[in-house]
Amino acid sequence: MIFPGYPKKLGAFAKNQRRYRKKHSTFAPIKSTKRMKLFKTILFIALVYSVGVASVVHAQQRDRYEFMRNLPVYADSLIADFDFPLAWQNAGIIDFEAWRRVARQKVLDCMLMPPPAPPAGYEVKVLFEEQRDGYKARKIEVRLSRYYTVPAYVLIPDGKGPFPAVNALHDHGAHLFIGKEKMIRPLACEDSTVIKDAEAWLAGYEGQFFGDYLAKHGYVVFSADAPMWGERGQKEGPLRERYDIIAGNMMMYGIDLCAWMTYDDMAGTEFLASMPEVDASRIGCTGWSMGAYRAWMLSALSDHIKVGTAVCWLTTTDEQLSFKYKRTENGGFANCLPGLRRWLDYPHVASIACPKPMLFINGSQDKLFPVAGVEKAFATMHETWKSQGADERLETELWEMPHSCPKRAQQRVLEFFQKHL
């Protein structure tokens, strides 16, 4: 196979080579046989490269296959077999608190090995502090495990505490370069690239840092990088395509990366409760998108959380992992707990938070979470809260909006905290 233009390019290379030999007498002349070998080498590399590119654009296909659109062809059969035997409605456990203990333990079992606790407690180091309008902003490093420390931001209102507090949980967005900086305006100690990136990411929050908004209204706000985000990312840079590979490698260690995100959220909340500026009886959590998933998971698993709010992450597995839609939130390692779907669906896990006050907001135009799945999840949760005489504490709302966390959603969350926290 001959690539047009290569002889000319090689000729130009040879001319430059001759000029170089005339200018530098110590440069050894290249014989014609060597030039031929060089040409063949270049030709071979070009051929291999072209085949590699073609294989990416046009993957080889067989007439028979077992997976399509990232799902097994028998996905509907898998869904049909789900009976969720540990759901409150199915478990046959009469005492609700007993059910909560059993269901919570099943979730923790499916989360596999937890990070080992830090031997000396949650050691914290203040890295930077600055005064903002009505509150202080700190960058800290807190040891959440024997294995690692975690970078985080903390906002503390001016005045005499202790104050109510919120664990502000950042989103996914397939954007891993920043984490905590999605929720709290980066401090002046950060690189200008981080600051600009955080400002650009505000589009999903309608130009407002959610954490700073809450701090201005009297809340201590804590936000930490989840594993793989921000300063807990990859040395090579935030390569999204390597996320699943790394998560798979972590599984080889017996570790579920999604579970460690939740374990860290639990540990971070425990640290937050230990802060002298915080009223430990008044801690809530909130988040958008993956942050919403993290919020209701944390509400279900941590007794430190008294109130939870979640914007745009809730569905049922039959809607999430079926072929009904061209595009849905198909899960992945960001919300994958091995084997859990054989016991509990998403709304069943969220119901472990009952009878806590909980607010769920989803968008009717959100293409990641179809309305059918959202409405089924809402109904399941209301059935649970109602069974405990606490249905007024569960507020579920479907707004005319896409996958986003606009200012009015942030205001709604604030009002819910002001009412219940």
Side-chain angles (χ1 to χ4, degrees), residues 357-387:
M358 295 289 295
L359 170 67
F360 291 83
I361 300 173
N362 272 71
S364 61
Q365 301 163 25
D366 190 335
K367 297 186 184 302
L368 297 181
F369 300 97
V371 171
V374 174
E375 289 181 334
K376 283 191 277 189
F378 283 175
T380 296
M381 292 189 301
H382 275 291
E383 185 180 349
T384 305
W385 263 260
K386 191 176 296 184
S387 75

Side-chain angles (χ1 to χ4, degrees), residues 71-203:
L71 298 174
V73 295
Y74 46 85
D76 291 341
S77 297
L78 289 173
I79 290 170
D81 286 343
F82 285 147
D83 58 0
F84 306 116
L86 265 187
W88 167 241
Q89 295 83 352
N90 303 331
I93 301 174
I94 298 174
D95 181 73
F96 187 74
E97 282 303 313
W99 171 78
R100 287 184 74 239
R101 289 193 296 271
V102 171
R104 179 182 283 185
Q105 187 57 55
K106 178 56 68 177
V107 176
L108 293 173
D109 290 344
C110 291
M111 288 169 63
L112 307 181
M113 165 188 164
Y122 298 125
E123 298 172 307
V124 62
K125 183 187 300 183
V126 177
L127 304 178
F128 191 82
E129 181 173 306
E130 65 187 30
Q131 182 65 39
R132 294 185 177 176
D133 185 17
Y135 57 98
K136 291 186 290 292
R138 291 176 184 165
K139 181 175 183 179
I140 65 171
E141 187 177 89
V142 57
R143 180 163 292 282
L144 296 185
S145 167
R146 176 163 55 86
Y147 291 155
Y148 50 79
T149 58
V150 175
Y153 288 160
V154 180
L155 306 180
I156 303 172
D158 294 340
K160 185 179 179 181
F163 304 97
V166 175
N167 193 340
L169 306 155
H170 70 73
D171 62 73
H172 186 307
H175 187 69
L176 282 65
F177 182 64
I178 54 175
K180 58 190 179 297
E181 300 89 356
K182 295 179 178 183
M183 299 299 284
I184 293 175
R185 178 161 57 89
L187 277 69
C189 61
E190 304 294 1
D191 183 89
S192 61
T193 305
V194 172
I195 295 173
K196 290 178 181 177
D197 196 71
E199 290 171 348
W201 195 253
L202 279 184

Side-chain angles (χ1 to χ4, degrees), residues 385-399:
W385 263 260
K386 191 176 296 184
S387 75
Q388 301 308 304
D391 198 43
E392 76 283 353
R393 294 186 175 187
L394 174 65
E395 299 189 33
T396 57
E397 301 173 1
L398 193 60
W399 292 13

Side-chain angles (χ1 to χ4, degrees), residues 224-238:
D225 289 333
M228 290 291 292
W229 271 267
E231 294 177 280
R232 302 182 70 187
Q234 307 165 57
K235 179 181 179 181
E236 299 84 358

